[in-house]
Amino acid sequence: MVLVLAVLICATVAAACGKDGGESGKSGGDGQEVTITFLNSKAEIQQEMNAAAAQFREANPGIMVEVISTTEAQSPVERASALYAAGTPATLAMLDAGDIAKFKDKAADLSAEKWVGDLAQPNELDGRTIAFPFAVEGYGLIYNKAAVEKALGGAFDPGSVNTTEALEKLFQQIEASGTAPIAIGSMDWSLGNHFLALAYAAQPDGDVNDFLDELKAGKAALADNAVFNGLMDTFDVMKKYNKGKDDPMAVAYEQSASAVAKGEAAMTFNGNWLIGELQKSNPDGEFGFLPVPVSNDAGDKPNSAIALGATKQIFVDKEKSTEEQQAAAKKFLEWLVYEEAGQDFLVNKAHVVPAFKNIALEPANSLGQAVKAYNNAGQSIPFAGNFVPGDHWKVLGASMQKYLAGKADRAALAAEIEDYWTSSK
């Protein structure tokens, strides 16, 4: 079963966790209010999601959308599974794309919804559309344009950094100017599902599933894999010039964003969703993406591409939700795609690039514009985090954290990655 993901500039938002049909508010009949829940797994837009729910209610007084979030202790798929186990699933659940298949028997068929006809690309599982692609996102090395140009004393061409050696040379120039070249965020989800996943996406044939199958079968020896070693060579360079190298685990999401926004560090590794955090410290700043090089061959495609994909998907529960709740949930999804307020939420509040052809709004922020530019130029590799199990970010994110902190060498890291995949179900 392959979930065909929309990979064109996409945007959206949402999430909530829920109550079952018997407890989730009124039935919706006879003009009564319907309450639905939305499990939001994008914590960085929780406030914006709450505001969108309030806007939707103003336009639809008979529907209440309660937004709940995941916790740091649970992955989105764990949270959704726990809600089902408790008999109180969310009416709408936003999960990582790779986890949707686990709930295919609990998800309502959305194939007949109006927005399916406006998808830029199909989004099907076993021939049916069972999920709403909320966000097309991209990630790589985020740089502060002003900080880099100040260090270089002139204009910066991101296309000139297409090898690990070129990246280190740039870091040396930035460091010589008195600015820290990079602030690496220590988040397990970032290191595990984003950075490490580049080793899966950047393989020569570009087929993520084939490489993961080799890992599962114990046939992919990472110690001898050129892409894995090239990627880790780049990570070693990043560690060498890391602003927080004396205490790398202390650099969290907010700290890495603040350092780059203020120009204390020129770069960090993250995705376009970071823009909201960057703008807290530098609302008018201009930021861009550099690909993460995996070799010293400028002709290797991954050295000029960022990871891009439909990262978050929303499904509608049919197991516990009443027909009225399912109808209300579908109305909320349609509101996101067709109403001005919904579109504004996706593009300008949630900072996602929509997966729908009818949404003409252009990203107002520089990272959204950069994602669109890389996408339009065909300079992308798969967002491999969409292909991995729900515990990947926790297990191998912890392995990457040990490597970042100098508590594991490359051989130990490779062994933990291989052990994870050979034991993966």
Side-chain angles (χ1 to χ4, degrees), residues 138-140 142 187 189-190 253 256 268-274 289:
Y139 68 82
I142 295 175
M187 302 79 70
W189 54 265
S190 178
Y253 185 83
S256 61
T268 190
F269 173 78
N270 220 306
N272 60 291
W273 52 85
L274 190 68
F289 278 112

Side-chain angles (χ1 to χ4, degrees), residues 239-302:
K239 285 174 57 179
K240 179 180 177 181
Y241 294 91
N242 184 19
K243 182 178 186 293
K245 62 184 176 183
D246 292 337
D247 189 7
M249 291 303 297
V251 184
Y253 185 83
E254 295 81 5
Q255 287 84 0
S256 61
S258 176
V260 174
K262 295 176 180 178
E264 297 169 358
M267 299 184 202
T268 190
F269 173 78
N270 220 306
N272 60 291
W273 52 85
L274 190 68
I275 191 65
E277 196 68 33
L278 292 167
Q279 290 178 334
K280 289 180 182 179
S281 299
N282 188 353
D284 300 318
E286 188 171 351
F287 307 94
F289 278 112
L290 282 179
V292 177
V294 297
S295 73
N296 282 315
D297 183 347
D300 285 347
K301 179 182 177 180

Side-chain angles (χ1 to χ4, degrees), residues 16 40 184 187 266 272 363 391:
N40 175 30
I184 303 174
M187 302 79 70
N272 60 291
D391 65 348

